[in-house]
Every structure is written in structure tokens, then in C-alpha cells.
């Protein structure tokens, strides 16, 4: 803040909303609640990003004997304590790595600012790799040599890789970003080889996805990978489990955590003797299954094509409410609702039913086939019913990108934002073709077809949902910059760069990186050092 004092500490959360850890973050070693050195021109609010960790040596010595087996969960539990004295007793550390609100010339300047203000950083382990007049292969060798000298077993915290950045911040920012602004092109994350262990495959279960695809789940003897016990992993599709060389029950499999997070089966050390049974019916609705095939005619996925499959419906309902920001819908509660019958008919058969068939206030304005709400209340319990209704009514307006993403169309996810960039209304989305989508970065034919088909299949549901959910109007000032793209680099004060970028978007333009398609590169000559 203006007085250089700490005023709030929050978790990353979903990127927009996080938890307030202000009291507990103060209990961490390496954290400072007042800045000593602040350069001229700094913003009124300065944001310092960092990670909270527990020294691994201390954790194994002091806390594993007390029953704590996972360092990450230990840290999370300590930060979530209501009593900050308990957090203090856990002796956590705060390591700072980024600053916003101050214009630095280099990444090393940024680190020095953190050091000067007393924060724990990685400055002592930061290595500058000189890439002047070097080939890409030279840089690859330098990175491999640097990472090869690191013994992770001797580090005081868990780490799955290294991020390499361009030291010159203005030059780095001129590269632009990918993944809808989430990842800078100037940085590279390089992962260490994942820890791998052998385990015996005990069984294969079946999971039903939102699109109706059946996913085989490997159940194996639990092994400790990166401080966490793992005993199950996705096998992705049943097509890979048929044929003479297919995986069998009893096999000794190789297991690792991709990115030190997601468990996966990476190979077979020795195959088993018992064939894995291939499902013949949907595990949820009992309906028939169809195979999908690759371009060579090989079987890939088993899919339940029953449009009324309860398993798929449950996952789609949960996806919808989670995405639009409605909380309070546990999986068991949704399943109870979709299994409920009244006069021999299902009460909930689609997402929009969750709105008007649960809300007794709509009885007078909507012709309701189930006019006995007391039945639903008695099945759920009156308190649960009231809480669910309050949750549903808590969100009445969403942006179009969120609306599109919440529909759960296969293969789309957060790419909904890119679709809405070229189609700003529901009616405009209706008119999109596969060729239109192929012009969007990240869309190939499979993904484009998936969206067009999925949107058409949900069109009636979309109209029903729009009776209860309003699409927020975009705040576009004009379309003067339609079809044009801009990249801003350098340091600006009045207006600042974010304000100028917002002006471009508000007037129909796009933000891009330096390429042949860029309309203009806008830079501050005073800070560009003659580039």
C-alpha cells in the first residue's frame, strides 16, 4: 500500500478469486510486512508473488513421526488454520519470486529488490546463461548441464523443474503470450525426469466421462511418489487394452507422476496373465456401447450414446454449476436428484431442470408437471433443499465465454474464450462453421467439429438455460480497431500499458505478439535501449 505496509495476502485460487491468508502468511519465515526500499514511480499497490513451503529436512525430522506424510498437504493445512498460532508452530517459509506494480529493467533487478527488502528468494541459486552469439543447441546443452548438477534430494523444498526467463524484461514482454495470456513466450519451463517406481496391477475399474466415454482406471499396489501414496491412474482408453500385447492383470507396471502431480502408467516391466475385461454395457445406465476408430481403423474409445444416461447428466450438471460459480452441489446430492422419480418419471433430465423444477416460486408462472414440491423437499431434506435453491439463485448473470465453457462441450474447455472473440453473441455462435474455427489458434479439425456438433446438440438446452441466466453485455466502446492486433512493450505511466491494452480490446482490436500479422508494435523508446 502507499505506506509500504502489508495489507492483504491471498492464495492464487482460480486466478480470479482466492482465499485470504493475511493473518497466517505473517507467521512464515522469509516474509516481510513492511517494505524498506521502494523505487520512484512505483504503483500505490505493489503485489509480491511467492510460494509457501516447509523445509523438507525439518518436516521429515519433526513431523513425519507425528503421522504427517505429505509436505504439500502439511503446508496447505497449516495455512488454513483458524488459529494463526498453530500456523506459527508449523515453522513455514515464504519464498518470493515476482513483483508487480514496479517497472524493473531486468529480472535480476527484481530479485535484488526482494533481497533488499528482506524476503527469502532464489537469488543465490539463480544462474545467468549468456546466449549471445550461441546456437539453440548450445543453449540446450547449457540448460541440461545446469539441471544435471542439481541434486533434488538435497533441496529444502519439492521442485519438479526450472523456469528459464529472458533477463531483459521489456524485450521479453515483446514476445507476447500464449494460452490466452497465461504463459509468456519468453519463458521456458524445463522439467526434471519424473520419479518412476514399479508396482503390481491389481485391477482395472471403469469411469464414465461427461461425453459418455468410458475410461479405464488402473488399480495398483500403492507406491510413494514424491511424498504421496499413489494407487490408481488413468489408462486413457479401452482400445489400448485389446490385442495380444495388451496390458494384463498381475502385470508389473512402471508408474510415475507427470509433472510431479498426475499419476500415470509409463510402461510394463513384466506382463500379467489375466485379460482385462472389456465392458459391454454402460456402468451407469446399462445402455449399449459403441467404439470410435482412428484413421487407420483401430478401435480407440468405448462410448455410451444414451442421451439420457444419468452418469453423463450428473457430470454435466456439476460442470455447469462449478464453471458459472454456483457452489454447494456435491456429487451425491446431484445423483440423488437425477435418480428421483415422481409418478413414474424422472424429475431431473437436463441442466435447465435444476432451475425450474426445484424452484416452487415458479409454480404460478410456469406450468409445472411436478406440482408437489413437498416430495422433492422430503427426499432431499428441507434444509438441503433451501440451501440448494439459494445457491442456484446466487448467480443470475454470466459472461458469454463462461456460458459457453459451462456447457461442457468436449475438447473445448477454456478455448471458449477464443470462440467468443470471433462470435460475440449466441446468434453469432449459431452461425459459426468448422472453417471459421480453423482460423483460431489452437483449433484443428477434430476440435472444430467437436464444438459445432456439441453446440447443435445442446441448442434446445441453451434456450432453456437463457430463461434463467442472462448473458452479460460486453463493454465495447467501438469496433474501430476490428481486425487489427497490437503488441505493447516498454514502460508507461500515463496511461499505463494495461490501460492501453484495455482500450484496444474495448474498441474491437486484439492483443498479439510480434509476427507478420501484427498491425503495430507500440513501445516506449526511452526504455528500449536502442532495440
Amino acid at each position: 500500500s502507499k505506506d509500504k505496509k502489508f495489507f492483504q495476502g491471498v492464495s492464487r485460487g482460480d486466478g480470479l478469486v482466492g482465499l485470504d491468508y493475511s493473518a497466517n502468511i505473517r507467521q512464515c519465515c522469509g516474509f516481510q510486512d513492511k517494505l524498506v526500499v521502494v523505487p520512484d514511480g512505483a504503483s500505490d499497490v505493489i503485489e509480491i508473488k511467492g510460494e509457501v513451503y516447509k523445509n523438507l529436512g525439518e518436516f521429515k525430522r519433526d513431523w513425519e513421526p507425528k503421522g504427517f506424510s505429505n509436505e504439500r498437504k502439511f503446508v496447505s493445512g497449516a495455512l488454513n488454520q483458524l488459529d494463526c498460532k498453530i500456523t506459527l508452530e508449523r515453522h513455514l517459509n515464504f519464498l518470493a519470486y515476482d513483483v508487480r506494480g514496479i517497472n524493473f529493467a531486468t529480472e535480476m533487478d527484481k530479485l535484488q529488490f526482494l533481497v533488499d527488502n528482506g524476503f527469502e528468494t532464489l537469488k543465490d541459486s539463480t544462474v545467468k546463461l549468456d546466449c549471445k552469439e550461441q546456437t539453440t543447441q548450445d543453449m540446450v546443452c547449457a540448460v541440461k548441464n545446469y539441471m544435471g548438477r542439481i541434486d533434488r534430494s538435497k533441496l529444502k523444498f519439492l521442485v519438479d523443474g526450472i523456469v528459464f526467463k529472458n533477463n531483459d524484461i521489456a524485450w521479453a514482454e515483446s514476445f507476447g503470450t500464449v494460452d490466452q495470456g497465461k504463459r509468456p513466450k519468453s519463458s521456458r519451463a524445463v522439467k526434471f525426469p519424473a520419479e518412476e517406481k514399479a508396482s503390481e496391477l491389481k485391477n482395472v475399474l471403469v469411469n464414465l466421462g461427461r461425453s459418455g466415454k468410458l475410461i479405464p482406471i488402473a488399480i495398483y499396489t500403492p507406491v510413494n511418489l514424491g511424498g504421496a501414496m499413489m494407487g490408481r491412474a488413468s489408462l486413457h482408453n479401452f482400445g489400448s487394452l485389446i490385442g495380444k500385447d495388451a496390458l494384463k492383470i498381475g502385470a508389473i507396471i512402471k508408474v510415475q507422476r507427470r509433472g510431479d502431480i498426475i499419476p500415470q502408467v509409463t510402461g510394463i516391466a513384466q506382463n500379467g496373465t489375466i485379460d482385462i475385461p472389456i465392458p459391454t454395457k454402460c456402468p451407469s445406465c446399462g445402455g449399449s456401447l459403441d467404439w470410435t476408430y482412428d484413421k487407420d481403423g483401430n478401435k480407440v474409445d468405448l462410448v455410451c450414446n444414451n442421451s439420457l444416461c444419468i452418469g453423463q447428466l450428473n457430470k454435466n450438471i456439476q460442470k455447469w454449476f462449478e464453471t458459472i460459480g454456483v457452489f454447494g452441489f456435491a456429487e451425491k446430492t446431484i445423483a440423488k436428484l437425477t435418480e428421483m422419480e415422481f409418478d413414474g418419471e424422472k424429475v431431473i433430465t437436463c441442466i435447465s431442470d435444476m432451475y425450474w423444477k426445484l424452484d416452487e416460486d415458479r409454480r404460478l408462472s410456469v406450468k409445472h408437471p411436478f406440482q408437489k414440491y413437498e416430495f422433492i423437499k422430503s427426499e432431499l431434506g428441507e434444509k438441503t433443499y433451501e440451501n440448494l435453491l439459494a445457491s442456484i439463485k446466487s448467480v443470475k448473470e454470466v459472461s458469454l465465454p463462461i456460458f459457453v465453457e459451462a456447457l461442457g462441450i468436449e475438447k473445448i474447455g477454456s478455448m471458449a474464450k477464443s470462440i467468443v472473440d470471433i462470435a460475440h453473441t449466441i446468434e453469432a455462435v449459431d452461425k459459426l462453421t468448422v472453417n471459421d474455427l480453423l482460423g483460431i489458434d489452437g483449433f484443428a479439425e477434430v476440435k472444430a467439429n467437436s464444438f459445432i456438433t456439441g453446440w447443435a446438440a445442446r441448442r434446445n438446452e441453451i434456450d432453456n438455460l437463457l430463461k434463467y441466466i442472462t448473458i452479460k453485455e460486453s463493454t465495447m466502446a467501438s469496433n474501430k480497431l476490428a481486425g487489427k492486433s497490437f503488441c505493447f512493450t516498454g514502460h508507461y505511466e500515463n496511461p499505463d500499458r494495461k490501460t492501453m491494452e484495455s482500450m484496444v480490446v474495448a474498441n474491437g482490436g486484439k492483443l498479439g505478439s510480434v509476427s507478420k500479422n501484427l498491425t503495430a508494435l507500440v513501445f516506449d523508446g526511452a526504455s528500449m535501449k536502442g532495440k
Side-chain angles (χ1 to χ4, degrees):
S1 62
K2 285 184 178 181
D3 58 4
K4 302 180 183 180
K5 291 183 179 179
F6 169 75
F7 69 94
Q8 188 176 39
V10 296
S11 68
R12 178 174 56 189
D14 61 2
L16 295 175
V17 179
L19 297 176
D20 192 321
Y21 290 140
S22 300
N24 289 347
I25 200 70
R26 283 189 166 99
Q27 314 309 318
C28 298
C29 300
F31 175 79
Q32 305 297 323
D33 60 4
K34 183 176 177 63
L35 297 177
V36 179
V37 181
V38 178
D40 294 337
S43 300
D44 290 342
V45 175
I46 297 173
E47 177 184 336
I48 295 175
K49 300 178 71 173
E51 293 280 344
V52 176
Y53 72 93
K54 174 63 184 175
N55 184 292
L56 286 176
E58 294 177 4
F59 178 73
K60 292 180 180 297
R61 183 192 67 206
D62 301 332
W63 297 97
E64 276 192 353
K66 297 179 181 179
F68 294 93
S69 60
N70 186 292
E71 182 265 353
R72 288 190 178 100
K73 290 182 179 179
F74 177 85
V75 171
S76 177
L79 284 177
N80 280 294
Q81 293 294 326
L82 296 178
D83 184 353
C84 61
K85 292 180 181 178
I86 299 177
T87 308
L88 179 62
E89 293 170 356
R90 301 287 175 91
H91 300 292
L92 303 181
N93 296 77
F94 178 82
L95 189 149
Y97 62 82
D98 198 9
V99 183
R100 294 182 181 179
I102 301 176
N103 290 325
F104 294 101
T106 69
E107 291 289 341
M108 296 305 293
D109 291 341
K110 185 187 297 180
L111 276 178
Q112 190 59 52
F113 164 83
L114 292 169
V115 171
D116 291 343
N117 281 286
F119 288 94
E120 179 185 350
T121 72
L122 290 171
K123 187 173 186 298
D124 291 340
S125 60
T126 300
V127 173
K128 296 175 75 172
L129 300 177
D130 191 355
C131 63
K132 292 180 181 178
E133 300 180 5
Q134 288 193 6
T135 65
T136 302
Q137 189 58 42
D138 290 334
M139 283 301 299
V140 171
C141 289
V143 169
K144 285 184 176 179
N145 289 336
Y146 173 62
M147 296 187 71
R149 295 193 298 269
I150 297 174
D151 184 353
R152 286 199 286 171
S153 66
K154 295 181 179 179
L155 296 178
K156 58 185 178 181
F157 43 73
L158 295 171
V159 60
D160 65 350
I162 302 291
V163 176
F164 292 88
K165 297 182 178 183
N166 280 297
N167 191 38
D168 188 316
I169 294 176
W171 186 48
E173 290 177 345
S174 72
F175 283 58
T177 61
V178 294
D179 195 15
Q180 296 162 2
K182 295 179 182 177
R183 292 187 290 133
K185 288 184 178 180
S186 60
S187 300
R188 287 292 182 273
V190 183
K191 302 293 185 180
F192 290 106
E195 180 184 10
E196 188 174 76
K197 290 188 177 178
S199 181
E200 182 182 357
L201 180 65
K202 295 292 189 181
N203 197 5
V204 173
L205 305 181
V206 183
N207 189 25
L208 179 69
R210 286 187 296 105
S211 63
K213 182 171 77 173
L214 271 60
I215 303 168
I217 306 296
I219 305 299
Y220 51 86
T221 304
V223 291
N224 190 313
L225 291 171
M229 294 301 294
M230 298 289 175
R232 55 193 294 148
S234 170
L235 294 173
H236 305 298
N237 62 70
F238 275 98
S240 64
L241 302 181
I242 56 179
K244 64 177 183 178
D245 297 323
L247 179 65
K248 299 180 185 295
I249 303 295
I252 303 301
I253 57 176
K254 299 175 183 178
V255 185
Q256 63 178 217
R257 293 175 73 184
R258 186 172 74 247
D260 278 3
I261 298 174
I262 302 172
Q264 63 175 351
V265 176
T266 57
I268 305 173
Q270 178 184 329
N271 213 343
T273 58
I274 303 173
D275 290 338
I276 294 172
I278 305 300
T280 57
K281 293 183 179 181
C282 173
S284 177
C285 68
S288 60
L289 305 173
D290 292 330
W291 282 103
T292 64
Y293 297 84
D294 63 18
K295 61 182 180 180
D296 297 320
N298 300 310
K299 292 178 178 178
V300 181
D301 289 312
L302 270 175
V303 179
C304 171
N305 288 320
N306 177 12
S307 61
L308 300 178
C309 178
I310 290 180
Q312 296 177 54
L313 175 60
N314 292 348
K315 291 179 181 295
N316 281 316
I317 290 174
Q318 188 168 24
K319 165 73 175 178
W320 168 265
F321 285 118
E322 283 182 352
T323 305
I324 69 170
V326 170
F327 304 103
F329 282 89
E331 290 182 32
K332 290 183 179 179
T333 303
I334 294 173
K336 191 170 185 178
L337 282 164
T338 55
E339 290 169 3
M340 201 179 293
E341 292 187 2
F342 185 83
D343 283 350
E345 294 184 21
K346 294 288 186 183
V347 175
I348 304 295
T349 60
C350 59
I351 299 172
S352 56
D353 281 351
M354 296 289 291
Y355 287 88
W356 73 287
K357 289 183 179 178
L358 288 185
D359 189 356
E360 60 181 328
D361 291 340
R362 299 187 183 277
R363 274 194 296 195
L364 302 178
S365 58
V366 181
K367 185 178 179 182
H368 199 302
F370 309 107
Q371 295 186 357
K372 296 184 178 178
Y373 288 89
E374 293 303 320
F375 168 75
I376 301 175
K377 283 185 181 180
S378 63
E379 291 292 303
L380 288 177
E382 187 164 352
K383 186 64 176 177
T384 299
Y385 170 84
E386 290 174 354
N387 289 339
L388 290 181
L389 196 56
S391 294
I392 289 174
K393 291 181 176 181
S394 67
V395 176
K396 298 180 180 179
E397 186 180 54
V398 300
S399 66
L400 184 56
I402 293 296
F403 185 92
V404 174
E405 181 180 348
L407 293 172
I409 299 174
E410 190 178 12
K411 303 183 186 300
I412 301 305
S414 60
M415 291 297 290
K417 174 68 170 64
S418 299
I419 296 171
V420 173
D421 281 343
I422 64 169
H424 307 306
T425 64
I426 295 289
E427 293 71 26
V429 177
D430 286 337
K431 297 175 183 178
L432 289 175
T433 66
V434 169
N435 286 335
D436 292 330
L437 297 179
L438 291 178
I440 300 175
D441 184 32
F443 271 85
E445 195 156 342
V446 172
K447 186 175 289 187
N449 274 300
S450 178
F451 178 76
I452 296 298
T453 303
W455 180 264
R458 291 163 173 77
R459 198 58 187 84
N460 287 337
E461 176 77 310
I462 289 167
D463 282 338
N464 287 330
L465 288 169
L466 289 173
K467 295 175 182 176
Y468 313 106
I469 295 292
T470 301
I471 303 295
K472 290 180 182 177
E473 294 289 335
S474 59
T475 56
M476 185 175 291
S478 76
N479 63 352
K480 292 178 181 179
L481 301 180
K484 299 179 180 180
S485 63
F486 298 79
C487 177
F488 293 86
T489 186
H491 305 306
Y492 304 89
E493 292 184 4
N494 188 24
D496 60 25
R497 190 168 65 210
K498 285 188 176 181
T499 300
M500 290 191 287
E501 289 176 342
S502 298
M503 289 166 64
V504 168
V505 174
N507 286 277
K510 293 185 178 181
L511 301 175
S513 57
V514 178
S515 71
K516 64 180 182 180
N517 298 319
L518 192 69
T519 304
L521 171 64
V522 185
F523 64 92
D524 169 22
S527 66
M528 292 301 287
K529 301 179 181 178
K531 293 184 179 65

